[in-house]
Amino acid sequence: MFNLTIQERRVILFLSSMVLLGLGINFALKVNSRIAKYIRVDKHITKMNINKANLQDLLSLSGITPKLAKNIAAYRDKKGLFRDIEELKEIKGIGDYRYGKLKELFYVE
Amino acid sequence: MLSKPMKRPLVIFTLIFCLGIFVSRQLRIPFLPVYILALLSLFLSLIFLKKTMRSDIFLSCLIFFLGAALWKNYQILPRCHISGYSSYKNNYPYTVKGRVDSQPAFKNNTASFIFKAEEIQFNGSSYNTCGNIIVYVRSKKDLGSALTKLQGLEYGEELILTGSLYRPFRSSANNRQNYRDYLYNQGIFSVMNVSGIDSVARLKQNRGLIFQRLAFWLKDRMEDIIFKRVSFVPASIIDAMVLGEKKNIPVLINNSMMKSGTVHILVVSGFNVALVTFIIILSLKLARIPKAIRFYIAAPLIVIYCLLTGASTPVVRATIMAGVFMFACLIKREPDIYNSCALAAIFILLINPRQLFDIGFQLSFASVISIVYLYPKLKSFITPRVLKIKYIRFLIEGCLVSLSAWLGTAGIVAYYFRTFSPITALANIFIVPLASLITLCGFSLIAMQFLCPILAPFFAYSSEFAVSLLLNINAFLIKLPGAYFRLS
């Protein structure tokens, strides 16, 4: 009826399926906000829990030297778990500039 | 009796050329003897032009010494080169005049860009200079607004910078890949640190190439659309996959992709160029444009895409290969993937022979060659009866392509990154189709923003969902036992 080629059909199908998927997600988000955690990127994927990170984990991040990793671990052993990410500033070797970079890498839980 | 002509002479020439570069790097021979040997080989191959065997031998010698001479010449920097003015560490305040030679990146209150130096001043004297440096403009005090003064800084803009100039350090404990070698391979031998915005004088003149400026302008517009429609983390992934801009990707995501051996999807590679070529050709085909005109329109668009993504080695390789394929289709010749690969390698190495030792160059060519060579061989082990079922065939072919690429690159990855990831072959089966979908969605989102903005949010939701799925699958796979090993 439409006299479309197979490639034209594929393009239309792809675009329609993406719109349909987007529409479905949009609807689901409106109806049930808890669905967001399945659709949005979770923070544990993009950041590291500073209270659970061991020395090896800390060293795998760029900008963290072995000395700094040890200082973070020592601080945690001495003062207990972090309650706020700003506590990082109390660690020796972390000034405002470095804190600005490190807060992008960690979260507290 | 005439001998049969070789099917892939370019491949042999390229291998000999690469060997010349490699040997020349290992030996401490000055440029002149190598150059004289190249001239001698040229002379002998001309004398024995009609004696096939001898001519071939001397021709091979000529190409070998050409590669060696090219490397030696590339190592010799001009007397006025800016690296001659910098030492490993000194505290002179240098003033350098020149122009921005890349798209500036802004992150963590630091602006960074490649700078083409033209004039240098220190100790009250001024000298003409040349060469590229990498510049970091840091603003420690006025965190919020200082760098906004640099917003709008663009490729080609003339600047006068004042700061410290030094040679890059080996910033990695790993001897096999470090930042200094990476910069050297890009032809950058000095780093300039500029503290504060006041040390940057903008001359309000732009001398950048029009074609390149157009590409960067387009990139800016596309990035605006992606970040406006999609939340930050998925947008950073889409930005990397579609436009090759990796600066916003969280370190943790980069690390986890590296562990699963799928970090290649976070850069624009040959795969993306193939996809873009496909989209352009298909769009033109749908508009009922004749085949020949389609190729003439597609070629400059692919070149713009190459420039837009920063013209990295894999993209240049893929752009040349796509060009060769389209040209072969135009003149109705069968394209040969090995010859087009060799042509791309020669082209890249003629511009910068250091690229032979660049990880990106090695991974890019190793993966393509291993897929082209190993995939048909692996496929021949599968019984034809299984391949008759469409979906099983699709799945098996996907596995085999992934396995071929992994076999070709595992050694290089283990050598440079000290990580061995058996999970890669499995991860690629899930990750690569999702990455293709995200890339297609990203392009569709940009297109829809122009054509039908009301539909753009739906494409944004779909892209975000696909990115989330991809990251979750990746996080799950690297947690499997034996997914990856760190090599000591």
Side-chain angles (χ1 to χ4, degrees):
Chain A
M1 186 171 70
F2 295 114
N3 204 16
L4 297 171
T5 65
I6 187 85
Q7 279 165 332
E8 285 167 338
R9 279 175 207 277
R10 276 182 188 155
V11 172
I12 293 168
L13 278 175
F14 169 73
L15 294 174
S16 315
S17 56
M18 286 303 110
V19 172
L20 213 59
L21 179 66
L23 205 63
I25 294 167
N26 186 252
F27 169 76
L29 284 173
K30 281 180 194 167
V31 172
N32 189 347
S33 57
R34 274 182 295 176
I35 286 174
K37 70 175 179 183
Y38 300 107
I39 292 162
R40 303 262 152 81
V41 179
D42 201 37
K43 69 177 174 187
H44 77 267
I45 290 177
T46 57
K47 292 186 178 188
M48 194 178 272
N49 184 353
I50 197 159
N51 288 325
K52 284 188 178 172
N54 57 29
L55 266 180
Q56 191 77 19
D57 295 332
L58 293 171
L59 284 172
S60 71
L61 299 172
S62 63
I64 299 204
T65 58
K67 198 176 175 185
L68 186 62
K70 276 180 191 166
N71 285 353
I72 294 172
Y75 179 90
R76 206 170 47 193
D77 292 341
K78 194 177 164 189
K79 299 219 171 176
L81 298 178
F82 284 85
R83 284 179 298 279
D84 190 342
I85 200 71
E86 284 219 14
E87 283 180 42
L88 275 172
K89 282 184 186 173
E90 292 171 23
I91 295 171
K92 195 182 170 190
I94 301 180
D96 282 342
Y97 183 68
R98 188 169 258 176
Y99 170 73
K101 283 186 170 185
L102 293 182
K103 73 175 181 188
E104 303 293 324
L105 303 176
F106 299 111
Y107 72 96
V108 175
E109 199 170 81
Chain B
M1 201 179 94
L2 282 170
S3 59
K4 202 177 160 189
M6 193 188 276
K7 199 182 168 193
R8 291 172 184 138
L10 204 54
V11 176
I12 306 294
F13 287 160
T14 309
L15 288 175
I16 297 171
F17 187 76
C18 291
L19 189 69
I21 294 174
F22 181 77
V23 172
S24 177
R25 190 201 191 207
Q26 304 303 322
L27 301 176
R28 287 186 176 182
I29 306 171
F31 171 77
L32 266 180
V34 181
Y35 187 70
I36 290 167
L37 283 170
L39 280 178
L40 193 69
S41 307
L42 172 69
F43 181 67
L44 289 171
S45 48
L46 280 172
I47 287 176
F48 296 108
L49 195 64
K50 288 182 181 172
K51 295 179 181 175
T52 327
M53 186 66 186
R54 285 184 201 176
S55 177
D56 283 354
I57 291 170
F58 290 121
L59 193 64
S60 303
C61 290
L62 171 64
I63 291 161
F64 177 85
F65 288 118
L66 206 63
L70 189 77
W71 170 264
K72 289 293 171 198
N73 187 44
Y74 197 81
Q75 291 301 97
I76 303 164
L77 297 173
R79 273 172 181 261
C80 65
H81 197 275
I82 192 155
S83 64
Y85 296 105
S86 58
S87 64
Y88 275 97
K89 188 73 185 169
N90 63 43
N91 296 314
Y92 290 138
Y94 291 90
T95 301
V96 182
K97 187 185 170 195
R99 64 184 165 89
V100 180
D101 203 38
S102 70
Q103 200 180 28
F106 299 91
K107 196 181 177 188
N108 291 335
N109 299 302
T110 302
S112 58
F113 50 85
I114 295 169
F115 192 68
K116 195 176 268 297
E118 287 163 2
E119 197 182 315
I120 185 165
Q121 280 179 22
F122 60 94
N123 278 351
S125 307
S126 174
Y127 308 92
N128 283 334
T129 188
C130 61
N132 285 352
I133 55 175
I134 189 154
V135 176
Y136 293 98
V137 183
R138 292 195 167 92
S139 175
K140 286 187 181 179
K141 288 177 184 172
D142 191 5
L143 290 172
S145 63
L147 280 170
T148 54
K149 288 180 188 170
L150 276 184
Q151 297 287 359
L153 180 72
E154 59 178 27
Y155 160 78
E157 198 172 325
E158 274 196 64
L159 302 174
I160 296 175
L161 306 167
T162 306
S164 59
L165 191 68
Y166 57 90
R167 291 181 190 166
F169 302 104
R170 291 172 75 100
S171 58
S172 165
N174 181 352
N175 290 329
R176 288 161 190 166
Q177 50 115 4
N178 61 69
Y179 189 54
R180 186 182 71 177
D181 289 349
Y182 168 76
L183 288 180
Y184 281 9
N185 289 341
Q186 309 303 316
I188 297 166
F189 299 92
S190 299
V191 180
M192 187 169 200
N193 265 334
V194 178
S195 300
I197 311 302
D198 300 336
S199 306
V200 180
R202 296 173 75 169
L203 301 181
K204 303 285 176 196
Q205 267 189 322
N206 199 316
R207 290 193 286 121
L209 301 167
I210 299 268
F211 216 45
Q212 182 80 68
R213 282 170 68 186
L214 171 72
F216 285 146
W217 179 83
L218 271 174
K219 186 182 180 178
D220 279 344
R221 298 289 83 74
M222 290 178 178
E223 273 190 326
D224 284 349
I225 293 169
I226 293 171
F227 281 91
K228 190 178 142 195
R229 292 287 184 188
V230 185
S231 54
F232 186 77
V233 174
S236 69
I237 306 273
I238 297 169
D239 192 19
M241 285 183 185
V242 175
L243 303 171
E245 193 57 74
K246 277 183 80 178
K247 65 174 188 277
N248 294 313
I249 293 181
V251 182
L252 227 60
I253 289 181
N254 200 58
N255 285 0
S256 63
M257 301 295 253
M258 206 176 271
K259 284 172 190 168
S260 66
T262 54
V263 75
H264 61 90
I265 61 148
L266 295 181
V267 291
V268 167
S269 62
F271 162 73
N272 300 59
V273 177
L275 210 61
V276 169
T277 312
F278 172 75
I279 292 170
I280 295 168
I281 299 269
L282 188 65
S283 311
L284 295 170
K285 198 176 175 184
L286 294 180
R288 305 283 195 272
I289 290 171
K291 195 176 178 182
I293 299 172
R294 252 183 263 159
F295 291 142
Y296 288 125
I297 297 173
L301 291 178
I302 298 165
V303 173
I304 288 181
Y305 183 68
C306 173
L307 294 172
L308 179 149
T309 55
S312 61
T313 306
V315 181
V316 173
R317 173 192 58 71
T319 306
I320 293 170
M321 286 176 74
V324 169
F325 270 62
M326 286 195 289
F327 184 67
C329 287
L330 267 181
I331 59 167
K332 291 177 182 159
R333 287 273 300 270
E334 184 70 25
D336 183 83
I337 199 156
Y338 291 103
N339 268 338
S340 51
C341 224
L343 181 73
I346 284 269
F347 180 82
I348 293 164
L349 292 174
L350 279 174
I351 295 171
N352 180 0
R354 268 188 171 270
Q355 285 288 328
L356 185 64
F357 308 102
D358 186 69
I359 307 165
F361 179 93
Q362 292 170 6
L363 284 175
S364 175
F365 281 93
S367 57
V368 170
I369 291 165
S370 59
I371 288 172
V372 174
Y373 181 76
L374 290 176
Y375 171 66
K377 293 207 179 330
L378 292 173
K379 201 178 167 184
S380 64
F381 289 114
I382 312 288
T383 49
R385 205 173 49 184
V386 178
L387 294 175
K388 276 182 185 165
I389 307 160
K390 195 179 170 186
Y391 297 103
I392 295 180
R393 188 181 69 207
F394 182 73
L395 190 71
I396 290 175
E397 284 178 351
C399 294
L400 293 181
V401 169
S402 175
L403 185 65
S404 316
W406 179 67
L407 287 172
T409 54
I412 300 171
V413 171
Y415 179 78
Y416 286 113
F417 301 108
R418 296 182 181 183
T419 307
F420 180 68
S421 313
I423 200 72
T424 305
L426 179 68
N428 276 317
I429 296 165
F430 299 103
I431 303 282
V432 170
L434 266 174
S436 320
L437 184 70
I438 293 166
T439 313
L440 277 171
C441 265
F443 280 114
S444 308
L445 169 66
I446 293 163
M448 280 301 151
Q449 182 67 29
F450 289 113
L451 302 173
C452 183
I454 203 156
L455 286 180
F458 302 119
F459 282 89
Y461 281 124
S462 303
S463 317
E464 207 163 327
F465 176 65
V467 171
S468 171
L469 194 62
L470 182 141
L471 294 177
N472 281 310
I473 290 174
N474 191 65
F476 168 76
L477 287 172
I478 56 169
K479 279 179 192 158
L480 291 177
Y484 68 95
F485 302 98
R486 283 189 190 282
L487 306 173
S488 59

